[in-house]
Amino acid sequence: MDSHSSRLGFRDSEAITANTDVIYQLEYGVEIDSSGEDNIGFKSRDTYLGLVNKDFGEFRFGRNYSVVDYVNNVTITEGYWDNLGSSSLDDNDSFSDALTLTDGDRINNSIVWIAPKYNDLPLNLVLQYGADETFLSDSSDSKSGFGASLMFDRGTGFSAGVAYDKDMTISGDIIRGSASVDLGKYTSHPVIIGALYQEADYDGSNIFNSATEKGLILSAELGLTNFTRPATVYLQYDKTDNLGGLDNNNSNQLVLGGKYMFKEHIIAHAYAGYNSADLENGLVILNELESNNEAELVAAHGSADVLAIGGGIEYLF
């Protein structure tokens, strides 16, 4: 049993002038099935204070998710498989995480600017700056980052976007492109198909980080019409080459799942997925540690295979 992505948050705004509002969000994660070391108090998620103005756009100051994840319009898998996975092991050297392409992360000490709409153009521009404040103790160790994303969506069933992340999610560059089409807007088939391609170029400080990580995700989601309540079934395929920038460390993942909405805020989930990673060079990267932002190499032998079948209930209050 696992409490997955349980969280509690507050979000609101208040006008300070005719055109400007103060905005804030406080969001914290909690494990409702555990009281051990991993569940001491709340863990900060997207938490910011900001301003929004109809002419100058929206500014968020605080802990913000990398804008590379704003371009992620494939069907997102749920439960155990609810993100793109992990390009490295967790800090207990376990293969319990599926190994897939590098995903975005929350960035401390960051500023996000969401551009205002211009003449109703169907474009959403977001810029981000992440301040590396280690210069307070080591002026030679400062490496601030930045990112940008641009999404096109006219509300006609087709959307596409591109994003770039420099020295925030990883020490290096991430570039991502994504697109989706809702065929139900053009045909009688209620199917949404999506594709995402990404390259991550690690700056690694060792000879093993010798290749660019390349990842591809394909997804399809079908609306089911023979149920009394809204229901969907989805399929997602994920292929990643050179996991974590390590040459010939490759993986393939396939997930099949479904959702049934008892009510708008009560959703049942079921899924089955399989991930197979071929670790040819016998090495993987241990997750970066927040204390020093350094990565370690750990030994991994042969392949890593993960099978997960499950179901759950989601309640939004």
Side-chain angles (χ1 to χ4, degrees):
M1 185 173 69
D2 185 41
S3 170
H4 179 77
S5 197
S6 296
R7 55 195 182 271
L8 177 67
F10 305 90
R11 179 173 54 210
D12 204 355
S13 65
E14 183 172 345
I16 56 175
T17 71
N19 297 323
T20 304
D21 292 356
V22 170
I23 58 172
Y24 73 86
Q25 176 172 299
L26 304 173
E27 184 178 85
Y28 301 94
V30 63
E31 298 290 335
I32 64 172
D33 63 336
S34 171
S35 61
E37 292 182 358
D38 294 333
N39 192 32
I40 301 176
F42 292 113
K43 297 178 181 179
S44 177
R45 292 169 59 87
D46 282 30
T47 305
Y48 57 81
L49 180 66
L51 297 168
V52 59
N53 179 278
K54 67 178 184 179
D55 296 319
F56 299 106
E58 181 175 329
F59 295 86
R60 299 176 179 178
F61 306 88
R63 177 173 165 84
N64 299 282
Y65 213 92
S66 168
V67 296
V68 74
D69 200 59
Y70 285 38
V71 176
N72 195 7
N73 47 339
V74 292
T75 295
I76 302 300
T77 47
E78 304 284 351
Y80 175 88
W81 305 99
D82 90 315
N83 55 24
L84 303 182
S86 173
S87 61
S88 56
L89 295 179
D90 59 25
D91 56 11
N92 61 9
D93 296 0
S94 166
F95 281 110
S96 61
D97 286 338
L99 297 176
T100 60
L101 63 92
T102 301
D103 198 2
D105 200 359
R106 290 183 175 88
I107 310 301
N108 295 328
N109 306 310
S110 62
I111 302 171
V112 169
W113 175 61
I114 302 174
K117 293 292 184 181
Y118 179 74
N119 287 345
D120 295 323
L121 286 176
L123 296 173
N124 186 24
L125 172 67
V126 184
L127 304 180
Q128 183 175 27
Y129 172 75
D132 182 355
E133 297 188 349
T134 57
F135 72 88
L136 295 174
S137 58
D138 184 355
S139 60
S140 64
D141 192 37
S142 177
K143 198 170 188 179
S144 298
F146 60 89
S149 71
L150 182 66
M151 283 291 301
F152 171 85
D153 189 351
R154 298 184 62 182
T156 58
F158 172 77
S159 64
V162 63
Y164 177 74
D165 178 318
K166 172 69 173 178
D167 292 333
M168 291 202 298
T169 297
I170 64 171
S171 293
D173 306 89
I174 295 177
I175 186 166
R176 174 185 292 184
S178 183
S180 68
V181 180
D182 184 353
L183 297 180
K185 299 284 188 178
Y186 307 100
T187 70
S188 59
H189 305 290
V191 179
I192 301 174
I193 59 175
L196 182 152
Y197 179 77
Q198 174 179 290
E199 292 192 0
D201 187 9
Y202 285 76
D203 286 345
S205 59
N206 56 75
I207 61 173
F208 300 106
N209 286 36
S210 58
T212 299
E213 179 191 276
K214 299 178 180 180
L216 172 68
I217 299 176
L218 302 174
S219 70
E221 184 172 7
L222 172 66
L224 304 178
T225 58
N226 54 342
F227 287 87
T228 56
R229 302 292 301 171
T232 62
V233 61
Y234 58 83
L235 182 69
Q236 185 192 93
Y237 171 69
D238 186 320
K239 175 178 174 56
T240 309
D241 295 333
N242 307 322
L243 288 159
L246 296 175
D247 192 25
N248 292 323
N249 272 15
N250 307 323
S251 75
N252 288 274
Q253 177 174 292
L254 187 66
V255 179
L256 174 66
K259 294 181 283 187
Y260 182 84
M261 300 183 68
F262 291 104
K263 293 184 177 181
E264 235 179 74
H265 61 291
I266 304 176
I267 308 166
H269 298 272
Y271 55 80
Y274 178 72
N275 177 281
S276 177
D278 181 16
L279 308 176
E280 183 175 311
N281 62 21
L283 294 167
V284 294
I285 294 179
L286 190 69
N287 276 346
E288 291 186 354
L289 307 177
E290 289 190 6
S291 58
N292 54 19
N293 201 35
E294 293 180 355
E296 302 175 30
L297 288 173
V298 296
H301 304 285
S303 62
D305 298 304
V306 176
L307 171 67
I309 302 171
I313 192 78
E314 180 181 10
Y315 181 74
L316 308 171
F317 59 89

